Amino acid sequence: NAGVTQTPKFQVLKTGQSMTLQCAQDMNHEYMSWYRQDPGMGLRLIHYSVGAGITDQGEVPNGYNVSRSTTEDFPLRLLSAAPSQTSVYFCASKTGGYEQYFGPGTRLTVT
Amino acid sequence: GQQVMQIPQYQHVQEGEDFTTYCNSSTTLSNIQWYKQRPGGHPVFLIQLVKSGEVKKQKRLTFQFGEAKKNSSLHITATQTTDVGTYFCAGPLGGNQFYFGTGTSLTVIP
């Protein structure tokens, strides 16, 4: 199993550009989530999904969209990138009330 | 705002010294998890605590869940350079939302 994969690993955007961060898991996990990590802030939940077709907002959803058309994939879309969205983005998945498995992260810089 | 707080934010210890990080939630948690993130890496699950007052050990690591299930601690005995990283607690708040603490960054000086 590949676990949780994320692409790209690094990305530089200009303010106003849009892009999609990809996340996929091959563990048949129902629950998937996106976090952003900023220095001193820990990991903050952006959006999450409890299954295909179901998504919900987390703590910091503004400026981000998600969709979950399949169990495996959970892409995160930045609609109009802003410098405040410069961060490291992690995708995670889990089953039931157990541990979350994290992807390797995407390091995004918005200039 | 941040609903799960951790202290301290940073800790520098000499190799061989002990280390403790504390996690406090604004609400009662059904369970609490601990993760470790090595520099440049991603969070990796360490353990889950479920019961009030629960204590679990993993070699030199001791995890406790408070009686009120609103706080937790991680204690490392005789730190080693391999313990370097950031330690996060995390718990379910508001149904399916899983919140992470602010993390404690541990530096071990050889």
Side-chain angles (χ1 to χ4, degrees), chain B residues 18-29:
Chain B
D18 292 355
F19 159 77
T20 304
T21 173
Y22 300 91
C23 175
N24 293 288
S25 168
S26 56
T27 60
T28 302
L29 300 169

Side-chain angles (χ1 to χ4, degrees), chain B residues 8-104:
Chain B
Q9 186 174 357
Y10 302 97
Q11 184 80 58
H12 291 70
V13 300
Q14 289 287 140
E15 188 173 15
E17 291 183 337
D18 292 355
F19 159 77
T20 304
T21 173
Y22 300 91
C23 175
N24 293 288
S25 168
S26 56
T27 60
T28 302
L29 300 169
S30 59
N31 65 79
I32 195 160
Q33 297 180 351
W34 285 91
Y35 292 77
K36 177 182 178 181
Q37 183 179 25
R38 295 184 187 274
H42 59 275
V44 175
F45 175 80
L46 293 176
I47 207 161
Q48 176 170 285
L49 305 171
V50 178
K51 299 177 183 175
S52 168
E54 188 170 13
V55 177
K56 286 190 176 180
K57 292 191 177 185
Q58 287 181 349
K59 298 183 180 177
R60 295 178 293 104
L61 278 60
T62 302
F63 304 84
Q64 281 191 295
F65 200 9
E67 293 291 341
K69 302 183 77 173
K70 296 179 72 173
N71 58 76
S72 181
S73 65
L74 158 60
H75 179 82
I76 301 178
T77 302
T79 55
Q80 299 175 359
T81 54
T82 52
D83 296 324
V84 165
T86 302
Y87 293 84
F88 293 98
C89 62
L93 292 170
N96 288 306
Q97 300 198 48
F98 215 78
Y99 281 83
F100 277 73
T102 45
T104 296

Side-chain angles (χ1 to χ4, degrees), chain A residues 31 35 37 39-45 48 50 57-59 90 94 97-100 102-105 107, chain B residues 1-3 9-10 31 33 35 37 40-45 48 88 94 96-103:
Chain A
Y31 185 96
Y35 293 88
Q37 184 172 30
M41 302 291 290
L43 292 128
R44 291 183 292 169
L45 182 65
Y48 65 98
V50 297
Q57 296 181 350
E59 185 183 5
F90 288 101
K94 73 181 182 78
Y98 302 107
E99 68 200 82
Q100 292 202 74
F102 282 82
R107 283 150 180 80
Chain B
Q2 202 81 33
Q3 300 188 56
Q9 186 174 357
Y10 302 97
N31 65 79
Q33 297 180 351
Y35 292 77
Q37 183 179 25
H42 59 275
V44 175
F45 175 80
Q48 176 170 285
F88 293 98
N96 288 306
Q97 300 198 48
F98 215 78
Y99 281 83
F100 277 73
T102 45

Side-chain angles (χ1 to χ4, degrees), chain A residues 11-48:
Chain A
Q11 183 72 51
V12 179
L13 291 178
K14 294 186 186 303
T15 297
Q17 287 185 316
S18 63
M19 80 159 293
T20 299
L21 307 185
Q22 301 292 344
C23 174
Q25 53 92 9
D26 61 359
M27 297 173 283
N28 202 32
H29 287 170
E30 290 298 320
Y31 185 96
M32 295 186 73
S33 55
W34 276 101
Y35 293 88
R36 60 175 290 173
Q37 184 172 30
D38 304 293
M41 302 291 290
L43 292 128
R44 291 183 292 169
L45 182 65
I46 305 172
H47 285 285
Y48 65 98

Side-chain angles (χ1 to χ4, degrees), chain A residues 53-73:
Chain A
I54 306 169
T55 64
D56 210 342
Q57 296 181 350
E59 185 183 5
V60 288
N62 291 342
Y64 307 95
N65 271 0
V66 292
S67 60
R68 186 95 180 269
S69 56
T70 67
T71 298
E72 295 76 21
D73 300 296

